[in-house]
Amino acid sequence: MSSTTIHLSKATFTISAPDIRKLPEDAGIEVAFAGRSNAGKSSALNTLTNQKSLARTSKTPGRTQLINVFEIANNKRLIDLPGYGFAKVPLEMKKKWQKALGEYLEKRESLKGLVVLMDIRHPLKDLDMDLIEWAVDSELPVLALLTKADKLSQGKRSAEVLKVKKVLAELQGDIKVQAFSSLKRTGAEQANAIICDWFAEEVNE
């Protein structure tokens, strides 16, 4: 393991880019966050980095229109990708976001792990499955974070996690599933540990 301990709390905003050509040099390690526009991605980023306003949150889904880059250490970055699916925005704008997201996933060499955020009450929609299947095909590890877990009772939450694990196990990829709540910090410690492991593992390669 690397002697350098990774702390997500050290994340600092670097740049917002409309496409991959405006991103920092494609070197080092990046862990990307992706999800439907109403999945609570910005809140999750703030919770995991222990910062109140690192990522901009809004009651209007779909505010992440650019690729946002947060540096946590030298050549180690968290990437907040444009939300997909839900946002009530003009079609042309939505196509632009989707292109930026697709390009990043296909071409970014430093991408080493993907956090897919899904509302625990509505997981595994078509676009979520497309994204996870793509990551498995690309041999990328995936952390499926089932957000807004505080909205369900503990029994329902556990049942939903089991159901999602069962479906995703069929893909035979490196996929971990975790219930998560930004409000109650449910699952934050476990998610943080998984992401930090991704950063640490790559140091030895």
Side-chain angles (χ1 to χ4, degrees):
M1 292 289 281
S2 161
S3 57
T4 309
T5 307
I6 304 299
H7 296 289
L8 300 190
S9 57
K10 294 196 170 169
T12 53
F13 173 76
T14 307
I15 192 172
S16 288
D19 55 53
I20 60 171
R21 284 162 285 286
K22 299 285 195 296
L23 288 176
E25 184 190 351
D26 193 358
I29 306 164
E30 292 178 348
V31 172
F33 283 65
R36 291 173 70 79
S37 303
N38 56 344
K41 189 156 49 71
S42 297
S43 299
L45 270 163
N46 289 339
T47 299
L48 289 169
T49 56
N50 218 13
Q51 298 187 41
K52 282 186 179 168
S53 54
L54 181 75
R56 202 172 56 168
T57 57
S58 166
K59 293 204 183 299
T60 308
R63 286 292 291 276
T64 307
Q65 302 170 18
L66 300 165
I67 301 171
N68 295 309
V69 181
F70 306 99
E71 188 160 344
I72 57 164
N74 186 38
N75 262 350
K76 294 180 174 64
R77 298 172 292 273
L78 296 174
I79 305 293
D80 183 13
L81 292 170
Y84 52 81
F86 180 86
K88 292 176 182 172
V89 294
L91 186 61
E92 280 310 305
M93 191 183 284
K94 201 178 278 194
K95 281 181 180 169
K96 210 163 146 186
W97 299 357
Q98 300 306 97
K99 189 178 176 215
L101 183 140
E103 263 193 332
Y104 174 84
L105 293 172
E106 292 288 344
K107 296 180 180 174
R108 196 72 174 166
E109 294 290 328
S110 44
L111 175 61
K112 303 298 181 188
L114 187 64
V115 182
V116 179
L117 298 101
M118 299 176 279
D119 187 324
I120 194 166
R121 299 162 299 175
H122 318 286
L124 304 179
K125 300 282 190 190
D126 287 351
L127 289 169
D128 302 324
M129 287 301 292
D130 287 349
L131 191 56
I132 295 168
E133 284 169 7
W134 172 86
V136 170
D137 287 346
S138 303
E139 298 185 343
L140 269 181
V142 174
L143 171 59
L145 275 192
L146 303 183
T147 61
K148 308 185 185 183
D150 52 281
K151 305 276 189 190
L152 297 182
S153 67
Q154 195 157 352
K156 279 189 175 175
R157 187 190 309 165
S158 300
E160 205 57 53
V161 169
L162 278 175
K163 196 159 65 175
V164 171
K165 277 184 177 175
K166 195 174 174 184
V167 172
L168 295 182
E170 292 175 15
L171 299 179
Q172 299 183 327
D174 180 0
I175 306 172
K176 293 181 173 67
V177 181
Q178 180 74 52
F180 187 84
S181 165
S182 295
L183 193 65
K184 308 274 189 182
R185 294 192 62 83
T186 307
E189 203 174 312
Q190 295 91 328
N192 199 304
I194 290 165
I195 294 165
C196 287
D197 278 351
W198 288 347
F199 280 117
E201 276 170 22
E202 292 294 327
V203 172
N204 292 330
E205 290 195 356

